[in-house]
């Protein structure tokens, strides 16, 4: 069904980004426009989600060039859900940025680039053309590189170089895979590719092409052994930037893997085995890496890697139950990881440090805030009935049905490691006494802020925590959405028919 509604999230963020360019130096006005634009973006995303939920997959052919000849945007349940989650995270980070990012950085066009990044993310989720996906990825890389390097501090620039180099390398592999795929099939529309790729005589070359896509998207997803750029870069920019990166940038790589290996390529036994091995090793390497870290943001960075393995393992099993678990975990993980890095930014503002050795006593000083922070931390662990618990049930059921005991063991290991790490973090940061350290007169501590500034620090965390609680306590609704996503992914004919028959 053709409906231009699904392009509204793109137009809103493009329009806001352009408006912000005209007020480059007017920081206060930029803050107001960004937050207002994010609220409008959330309203539009809710409208798109409800429309897709009620009416099924929606498509738009750009320039009236019907598929497979023109660029097509496709809004199915997976894309609409991710657009909605992006809007929620963007609103929280936008509010947090108004107080957490210093004005000197905001004057370099921070908010304009931020909304351009959200535009790129929405475009990647909604495109139905594999080359157009590459274009949106490049927009994401350029925008994120600017955000990660704004300020020009040494550690920022080092992290930015590592981030850009590895992601640029991933884009080159992606582009190479695109060239091979176009040479084999003669089309770049994902729905059209689905039919043509299966008819290619040389299926060995098709499988090689699939592996190239796996490597390219694997780097962007930070899977083993391609993850080392993430913990080296995500702790360097302001917490607001790290929050949007951790919540969404690796997930767009996971989304691309789901889309490519559900629509374009058949999930062969070789690809399933390869994905499962990668998933198990990603869980173990991320979990062990987080154990040896002392910096709070580095701990969270390695947990991103660990939990990416949960989703890759579910994709490898590729049953309705497993994919429903992946979809549910993706919904949970985007919100929780965004919130964790906002919390890390709040802790830094309280104590002027991110080192667990140098901080402590937060519960004694801020008991109410500590209890608020405990909710997303417990959700991350997966304590019933919070949000991290429910998707693991689906993943565990699928692993037993298919006898993937190694993955089941890795899932239990990753969950236990997360419990140990969060318990250690809570003990050191919240319960132990504050170590003696010199305070800086130049640093503007949380207790010194005005009530309005404190509210802008805490409100985004409250917003995301409420969403997390809804995901946990309203699990039946999220499971319904996840099951529908799984049905659309496993039965790719639904996607293909929506794209090609709407033309």
């Amino acid at each position: 069904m053709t409906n231009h509604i699904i392009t509204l999230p793109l137009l809103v963020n493009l329009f806001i980004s352009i408006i912000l360019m005209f007020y480059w130096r007017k920081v206060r006005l930029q803050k107001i426009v960004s937050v207002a634009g994010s609220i409008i973006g959330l309203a539009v995303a809710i409208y798109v989600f409800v429309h897709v939920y009620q009416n099924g997959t929606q498509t738009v052919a750009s320039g009236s060039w019907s598929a497979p000849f023109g660029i097509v945007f496709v809004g199915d349940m997976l894309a609409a859900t991710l657009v909605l989650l992006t809007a929620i995270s963007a609103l929280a980070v936008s509010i947090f940025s108004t107080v957490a990012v210093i004005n000197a950085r905001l004057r370099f066009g921070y908010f304009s680039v931020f909304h351009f990044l959200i535009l790129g993310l929405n475009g990647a989720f909604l495109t139905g053309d594999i080359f157009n996906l590459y274009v949106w990825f490049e927009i994401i890389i350029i925008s994120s590189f600017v955000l990660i390097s704004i300020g020009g501090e040494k550690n920022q620039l080092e992290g930015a170089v590592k981030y850009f180099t590895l992601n640029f390398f991933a884009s080159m592999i992606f582009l190479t895979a695109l060239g091979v795929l176009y040479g084999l099939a003669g089309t770049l529309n994902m729905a059209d590719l689905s039919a043509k790729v299966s008819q290619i005589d040389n299926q060995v070359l098709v499988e090689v092409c699939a592996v190239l896509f796996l490597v390219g998207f694997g780097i962007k997803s930070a899977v083993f052994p391609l993850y080392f750029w993430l913990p080296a870069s995500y702790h360097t920019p302001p917490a607001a930037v790290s929050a949007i990166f951790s919540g969404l940038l690796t997930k767009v790589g996971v989304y691309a893997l789901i889309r490519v290996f559900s629509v374009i390529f058949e999930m062969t036994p070789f690809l399933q085995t390869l994905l499962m091995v990668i998933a198990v090793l990603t869980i173990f390497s991320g979990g062990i890496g987080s154990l040896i870290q002392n910096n709070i943001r580095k701990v969270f960075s390695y947990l991103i890697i660990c939990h990416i393995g949960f989703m890759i393992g579910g994709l490898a099993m590729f049953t309705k139950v497993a994919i429903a678990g992946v979809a549910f975990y993706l919904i949970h993980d985007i919100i929780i990881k965004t919130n964790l890095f906002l919390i890390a930014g709040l802790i830094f503002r309280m104590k002027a440090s991110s080192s667990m050795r140098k901080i402590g006593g937060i519960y004694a000083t801020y008991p109410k805030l500590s209890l608020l922070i405990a909710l997303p931390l417990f959700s991350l662990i997966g304590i019933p009935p919070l949000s991290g618990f429910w998707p693991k049930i689906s993943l565990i059921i699928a692993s037993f049905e298919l006898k993937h005991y190694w993955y089941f063991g890795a899932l239990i290991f990753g969950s236990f490691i997360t419990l140990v790490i969060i318990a250690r973090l809570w003990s050191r940061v919240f319960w132990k006494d504050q170590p003696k350290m010199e305070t800086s007169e130049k640093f503007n501590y949380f207790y010194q802020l005005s009530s309005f500034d404190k509210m802008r620090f805490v409100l985004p965390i409250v917003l995301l925590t409420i969403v997390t609680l809804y995901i946990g306590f309203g699990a039946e609704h999220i499971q319904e959405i996840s099951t529908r996503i799984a049905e659309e992914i496993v039965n790719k004919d639904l996607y293909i028919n929506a794209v090609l028959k709407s033309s």
Side-chain angles (χ1 to χ4, degrees), residues 65-72 129 186-193 196 499-500 503:
W65 283 88
S66 60
F69 306 106
I71 294 173
V72 178
D129 182 277
T187 183
L188 292 170
N189 179 278
M190 286 191 272
D192 195 37
L193 277 166
K196 293 186 176 179
V499 175
L500 299 182
S503 304

Side-chain angles (χ1 to χ4, degrees), residues 95-387:
I95 296 170
F96 194 85
S97 298
T98 61
V99 65
V101 181
I102 61 174
N103 289 344
R105 285 175 173 156
L106 296 181
R107 291 191 184 96
F108 283 95
Y110 170 89
F111 281 117
S112 180
V113 177
F114 171 77
H115 284 279
F116 204 65
L117 173 62
I118 302 304
L119 165 68
L121 290 166
N122 286 330
F125 294 140
L126 290 168
T127 185
D129 182 277
I130 190 69
F131 181 77
N132 207 28
L133 178 62
Y134 168 78
V135 174
W136 290 115
F137 267 45
E138 292 308 294
I139 291 174
I140 292 169
I141 290 174
I142 293 168
S143 304
S144 55
F145 178 71
V146 174
L147 288 176
I148 202 173
S149 57
I150 281 181
E153 295 179 3
K154 182 180 178 181
N155 65 332
Q156 269 189 272
L157 295 178
E158 289 178 357
V161 168
K162 294 171 185 175
Y163 172 83
F164 181 78
T165 302
L166 267 296
N167 278 274
F168 182 75
F169 179 61
S171 295
M172 292 300 98
I173 296 174
F174 184 8
L175 191 59
T176 302
L178 279 176
V180 174
L181 187 61
Y182 185 72
L184 288 171
T187 183
L188 292 170
N189 179 278
M190 286 191 272
D192 195 37
L193 277 166
S194 180
K196 293 186 176 179
V197 165
S198 61
Q199 297 172 359
I200 295 171
D201 293 331
N202 191 345
Q203 286 297 309
V204 174
L205 190 55
V206 170
E207 211 159 58
V208 171
C209 184
V211 171
L212 284 175
F213 277 104
L214 174 58
V215 174
F217 295 145
I219 294 174
K220 294 180 183 296
S221 304
V223 301
F224 179 90
L226 310 168
Y227 64 83
F228 53 88
W229 60 269
L230 190 153
S233 58
Y234 274 25
H235 70 287
T236 58
V241 176
S242 296
I244 205 70
F245 281 20
S246 61
L248 290 165
L249 261 60
T250 51
K251 308 312 179 301
V252 76
V254 174
Y255 165 81
L257 286 171
I258 293 171
R259 189 65 83 194
V260 165
F261 287 107
S262 64
V263 177
I264 299 176
F265 299 106
E266 295 289 338
M267 191 65 80
T268 63
F270 168 74
L271 288 174
Q272 285 183 301
T273 302
L274 181 59
L275 282 168
M276 185 57 72
V277 170
I278 289 172
V280 170
L281 292 175
T282 301
I283 293 170
F284 277 100
S285 55
I288 293 170
S290 62
L291 273 177
I292 61 175
Q293 300 302 319
N294 181 62
N295 183 290
I296 294 173
R297 285 209 272 172
K298 280 194 173 184
V299 170
F300 291 158
S301 295
Y302 275 100
L303 286 178
I304 293 172
I305 297 164
C306 177
H307 299 155
I308 288 292
F310 291 3
M311 291 176 270
I312 300 300
L315 175 61
M317 291 185 284
F318 206 73
T319 63
K320 284 186 180 180
V321 174
I323 297 299
V326 173
F328 200 130
Y329 204 91
L330 194 59
I331 294 168
H332 149 79
D333 203 61
I334 288 173
I335 299 299
I336 207 75
K337 291 301 193 304
T338 304
N339 208 3
L340 286 180
F341 277 82
L342 295 183
I343 289 168
L346 176 61
I347 292 172
F348 181 80
R349 181 64 65 173
M350 290 173 174
K351 299 295 181 180
S353 176
S354 292
S355 172
M356 289 191 285
R357 296 192 186 97
K358 296 180 180 180
I359 57 182
I362 291 180
Y363 184 82
T365 311
Y366 304 100
K368 292 180 181 178
L369 280 178
S370 298
L371 293 175
L372 170 66
I373 291 169
L375 291 172
L377 292 179
F378 290 163
S379 298
L380 178 70
I381 297 168
I383 295 174
L386 299 177
S387 61

Side-chain angles (χ1 to χ4, degrees), residues 18 24 27 52 63 76 140 179 222-223 283 302 364 366 379 399 422 444 447 474:
I18 292 171
W24 197 266
V27 172
V52 172
D76 60 356
I140 292 169
V223 301
I283 293 170
Y302 275 100
Y366 304 100
S379 298
S399 66
I422 296 305
N444 199 10
Y447 72 89

